Amino acid sequence: MGGPYYIPRDDLKGEGRIFFIFSTKALIYTVVGGIIGLIFFSIFSAINLSIVGIVILATLAVIGFVIGTFKIPDTQGLELTRKAGGERIDDIIVRYIRFKMRKNKIYLINEEEEDDE
């Protein structure tokens, strides 16, 4: 006699993952948003406005999930989406924060003005 034999079952494919809509990054961002929301919840609970605190908590958790999950759509209608289309929202936010922390500046040179001189 051999050991136990595993019989694969297709109908139980996703049972092992409870939070299958969350990637690890999205789960982290959702938890961070929820923790920030808990701060607001505790403030509003102290002044007997716990419903407002719950709404803010849920909103910040959803915003965290969106930042960790979605990409900026690649459309040609807006200048922002033309330049950053297809990139993850959290990558853009991190890049912006690093850029501001280094106090970098962008200089634009208009070639038409240089030709007139």
Side-chain angles (χ1 to χ4, degrees):
M1 286 187 120
Y5 180 72
Y6 173 72
I7 300 173
R9 293 176 54 185
D10 290 335
D11 58 337
L12 300 175
K13 204 174 206 177
E15 280 186 6
R17 242 176 119 181
I18 297 170
F19 297 112
F20 65 93
I21 60 169
F22 290 108
S23 64
T24 306
K25 186 192 300 187
L27 186 61
I28 291 169
Y29 277 100
T30 303
V31 169
V32 169
I35 290 171
I36 295 169
L38 279 174
I39 295 168
F40 285 103
F41 174 73
S42 63
I43 292 170
F44 283 105
S45 292
I47 58 175
N48 294 328
L49 292 173
S50 59
I51 300 295
V52 175
I54 291 172
V55 170
I56 292 174
L57 177 113
T59 303
L60 289 175
V62 168
I63 289 172
F65 175 73
V66 168
I67 288 173
T69 304
F70 295 117
K71 295 180 179 183
I72 292 180
D74 192 13
T75 60
Q76 299 299 321
L78 299 171
E79 188 172 342
L80 173 69
T81 59
R82 212 175 312 140
K83 293 178 181 177
E87 294 187 46
R88 295 197 169 274
I89 296 173
D90 64 327
D91 291 338
I92 292 173
I93 292 171
V94 168
R95 222 177 320 143
Y96 177 77
I97 291 170
R98 286 183 184 161
F99 181 79
K100 287 299 183 180
M101 288 178 70
R102 284 186 254 154
K103 296 183 176 146
N104 292 347
K105 296 179 182 175
I106 296 176
Y107 296 100
L108 298 176
I109 298 173
N110 192 350
E111 293 181 11
E112 293 174 6
E113 291 179 5
E114 288 181 358
D115 292 339
D116 292 340
E117 294 177 8

